[in-house]
Amino acid sequence: MSIKIKLAKYFARKIYKKTLKWSQNPIETQKKVFQNLIHQAQKTDFGQDHKFGKIKNFEDFAKHVPIRDYEALKPYVDKVVNGEKNILWKGKPLYFAKTSGTTSGAKYIPLTKASMPTHIKAARNAILSYIHETGNADFVDGKMIFLQGSPVLEEKNGIKLGRLSGIVAHFVPKYLQKNRLPSWETNCIEDWETKVNAVVEETFNENMTVISGIPSWVQMYFEKLHQKAQKPVGELFKNFNLFIYGGVNYEPYRAKFENLIGRKVDSIELFPASEGFFAYQDSQSEKGMLLLLNAGIFYEFVKADEFYTENPKRYTIGDVELDTNYVLIISTNAGLWAYNIGDTIQFTSLKPYRIIVSGRIKHYISAFGEHVIGKEVECALQEAIEDTNISINEFTVAPQINPASGLPYHEWCIEFENEPENLDNFALQIDKAMRKQNVYYDDLIVGNVLRTLIISKVNKNGFQNYMKSIGKLGGQNKIPRLSNDRNIVDKLEKIQ
């Protein structure tokens, strides 16, 4: 056993004990985080505008600080971007994570001296948690790859900015530098297809043990490896046994991945975002990811079906229930306050608090009052392909309100790797699974308001071509699982 493996197991035990301590005291842990955040930000512009000096508890906070999205917080962010100090958090941020906004162009999410370490620790602890549970640490002696955005940073009024994954690349611990691929030069390539080709060349003859990235883009990497090697990825990388991912649900991709790899590999799910690192999978046997309650983030939860009502009830960690769809609201040591990140979650466990990401509050289908969410379409598809040889590369769903003939329906645009023998029967299987999960959808089918869903096949690489056409190929970008309009579906049809 190498010294690196021994050290990994030692630190895994230490982190496990620390995690156990705060996860067994969730309400007290969150209370301490809340009090610290309010105290630290009292003298900021935001803190003074919202009477932080008078806030003694969560009820005071909810009274003084309304829920905001980026657009509502933007006047404060603009001051920070312009170089002003003590606006949302003490001093100036270390970085801005630059993301694409929907209505305001680029979004600048602050990363501070207090918040930046939490991103790094969470990623590290996810791996250490896996080592402690499984005893498997052999992979630390091999090569690891993280498919991510370019680490090249710009500067704005003295503050560096870039993609979150590119910023994080600057914080890779020294003990991982020799194991980490791709090279800095390859990581800096902006064009995604060129970058993946370069990554293939760099890793082809290496002892790859850990591979990490968003499933859709790792799939592209695996396909290129498979094409070059003319054998499964698992034969090319004989010691590859751990896949780390985030951003989207892995289950719709799992069959395709196992086919490309040639065997099963363990996986760890992460829930990182520019706004914070919220959760990671701490168990290979339990469903969901451990919500990080001690990471400088205070959480609130609003029931998704009440979110757009006037003054919806705001819940804290001690009030949540299993299997309820909540909008995730955060206040952080980066200066985001009662901030709606747009994600919806559901709790799978309350001891400890584990969650799954169920979708996006703005990504849903309710053209007829059906209230369909991302988790439901993913689960329905997964149920339909279970115990079959059907595999898919990508999919998205949209309503067809005005068909040329017949009743309206939900259109499922699917790019197949292995197609079903009978597409109509497959559509019926998905529809059956959807009706079991969503009573509103079932009522609409029974009441002849909607007809059974219809599948439209998307040509090979159709989704990649769509993402390329809108300038979002690779990196942290991903296809929405469903939309309440036909913008994506109509564009897909045009580029077919």
Side-chain angles (χ1 to χ4, degrees):
M1 185 185 296
S2 73
I3 186 68
K4 192 176 282 189
I5 292 175
K6 288 179 181 178
L7 285 171
K9 290 187 174 183
Y10 169 75
F11 282 114
R13 284 193 298 273
K14 285 191 69 173
I15 294 302
Y16 171 75
K17 289 177 182 177
K18 286 183 178 181
T19 302
L20 207 59
K21 188 174 180 180
W22 63 256
S23 64
Q24 289 182 339
N25 296 281
I27 295 173
E28 185 62 27
T29 298
Q30 276 284 274
K31 185 178 178 181
K32 287 179 180 178
V33 169
F34 173 77
Q35 291 171 339
N36 183 59
L37 291 175
I38 298 301
H39 174 73
Q40 295 288 341
Q42 275 188 26
K43 295 181 180 179
T44 63
D45 281 11
F46 190 94
Q48 291 177 341
D49 290 348
H50 295 80
K51 299 181 174 59
F52 275 22
K54 295 182 179 180
I55 292 176
K56 305 301 180 187
N57 51 43
F58 171 67
E59 288 72 23
D60 292 341
F61 180 78
K63 184 169 66 176
H64 290 295
V65 184
I67 293 172
R68 288 177 168 92
D69 59 12
Y70 185 84
E71 303 306 318
L73 197 65
K74 193 171 183 293
Y76 288 98
V77 176
D78 285 346
K79 289 182 180 181
V80 183
V81 173
N82 289 335
E84 296 184 42
K85 296 179 180 179
N86 303 316
I87 304 301
L88 289 164
W89 192 255
K90 298 182 299 182
K92 290 184 177 183
L94 291 179
Y95 300 93
F96 287 118
K98 187 178 179 182
T99 65
S100 55
T102 53
T103 59
S104 61
K107 292 166 61 177
Y108 296 91
I109 307 298
L111 295 165
T112 64
K113 185 178 180 180
S115 73
M116 194 65 226
T118 62
H119 288 267
I120 311 307
K121 286 180 182 177
R124 178 202 69 187
N125 290 353
I127 296 173
L128 291 174
S129 178
Y130 169 82
I131 290 172
H132 181 268
E133 182 191 22
T134 65
N136 174 25
D138 292 350
F139 61 84
V140 302
D141 282 335
K143 297 289 186 179
M144 307 178 188
I145 187 170
F146 301 90
L147 285 176
Q148 57 192 186
S150 170
V152 175
L153 304 179
E154 305 171 49
E155 195 167 296
K156 200 172 185 72
N157 294 318
I159 301 172
K160 292 180 179 179
L161 62 97
R163 299 170 187 163
L164 175 65
S165 60
I167 293 170
V168 170
H170 291 262
F171 290 83
V172 175
K174 287 184 180 179
Y175 59 84
L176 285 182
Q177 292 287 6
K178 290 184 179 180
N179 297 64
R180 184 178 179 275
L181 288 171
S183 66
W184 185 267
E185 293 74 20
T186 294
N187 233 358
C188 290
I189 297 172
E190 287 288 347
D191 181 76
W192 189 253
E193 289 176 297
T194 304
K195 183 175 191 167
V196 173
N197 287 333
V199 171
V200 168
E201 293 303 318
E202 279 195 10
T203 57
F204 193 76
N205 294 311
E206 296 288 351
N207 176 30
M208 303 305 301
T209 56
V210 178
I211 295 171
S212 175
I214 290 178
S216 51
W217 306 125
V218 174
Q219 179 177 300
M220 183 177 177
Y221 166 60
F222 282 172
E223 287 172 341
K224 289 179 180 291
L225 282 171
H226 192 277
Q227 187 177 13
K228 181 177 173 67
Q230 291 297 301
K231 59 184 176 183
V233 173
E235 287 185 27
L236 179 65
F237 302 144
K238 296 185 185 301
N239 296 314
F240 166 48
N241 281 302
L242 184 59
F243 173 50
I244 304 173
Y245 69 95
V248 297
N249 184 5
Y250 180 40
E251 290 310 314
Y253 299 93
R254 188 179 293 275
K256 176 67 184 296
F257 265 59
E258 290 177 356
N259 183 56
L260 284 167
I261 297 167
R263 54 184 165 81
K264 294 183 177 181
V265 298
D266 284 348
S267 61
I268 303 174
E269 183 176 9
L270 311 178
F271 185 11
S274 300
E275 296 87 351
F277 202 123
F278 307 121
Y280 61 73
Q281 182 182 346
D282 68 319
S283 171
Q284 292 292 301
S285 58
E286 300 293 332
K287 184 180 180 182
M289 296 174 282
L290 183 69
L291 186 64
L292 303 181
L293 302 174
N294 71 328
I297 302 170
F298 177 72
Y299 298 96
E300 298 177 57
F301 312 91
V302 176
K303 291 181 180 179
D305 57 5
E306 298 175 1
F307 186 71
Y308 290 111
T309 62
E310 190 174 352
N311 298 319
K313 183 172 174 55
R314 294 158 68 169
Y315 298 88
T316 55
I317 195 66
D319 305 315
V320 296
E321 302 170 339
L322 294 174
D323 302 321
T324 298
N325 209 34
Y326 292 103
V327 180
L328 186 62
I329 309 297
I330 59 169
S331 296
T332 77
N333 54 9
L336 302 176
W337 300 102
Y339 185 86
N340 170 25
I341 66 168
D343 286 316
T344 58
I345 60 99
Q346 293 180 2
F347 284 90
T348 60
S349 166
L350 302 183
K351 289 184 179 181
Y353 285 92
R354 292 195 181 99
I355 62 169
I356 59 168
V357 180
S358 54
R360 299 279 292 171
I361 190 62
K362 291 184 178 179
H363 292 170
Y364 60 90
I365 298 178
S366 199
F368 305 91
E370 57 269 50
H371 309 296
V372 171
I373 62 173
K375 171 181 173 285
E376 291 169 345
V377 297
E378 289 180 336
C379 289
L381 184 61
Q382 184 62 28
E383 184 174 329
I385 66 176
E386 200 168 341
D387 298 325
T388 74
N389 64 351
I390 300 167
S391 62
I392 62 104
N393 291 330
E394 194 59 89
F395 77 99
T396 193
V397 187
Q400 174 52 273
I401 298 171
N402 298 306
S405 62
L407 293 172
Y409 56 89
H410 285 184
E411 182 175 5
W412 288 56
C413 295
I414 303 177
E415 181 183 323
F416 289 99
E417 179 66 21
N418 291 324
E419 292 184 23
E421 291 182 8
N422 188 310
L423 204 62
D424 291 335
N425 284 345
F426 185 57
L428 285 172
Q429 291 303 311
I430 300 175
D431 208 68
K432 181 181 176 182
M434 277 298 305
R435 292 173 66 180
K436 279 196 299 183
Q437 290 190 78
N438 188 306
V439 65
Y440 304 108
Y441 181 75
D442 183 56
D443 287 345
L444 291 167
I445 297 289
V446 172
N448 289 320
V449 177
L450 291 178
R451 58 172 148 152
T452 302
L453 66 86
I454 289 179
I455 296 173
S456 295
K457 290 194 294 184
V458 176
N459 292 338
K460 178 74 172 174
N461 298 323
F463 282 97
Q464 284 185 21
N465 292 336
Y466 163 74
M467 294 296 276
K468 191 173 184 179
S469 74
I470 61 172
K472 291 190 175 183
L473 184 66
Q476 304 305 111
N477 301 307
K478 43 196 178 283
I479 290 279
R481 283 289 176 240
L482 70 179
S483 311
N484 206 37
D485 56 47
R486 294 185 57 78
N487 292 339
I488 295 174
V489 170
D490 289 345
K491 286 177 184 175
L492 273 171
E493 290 175 355
K494 287 179 182 177
I495 64 172
Q496 284 282 68

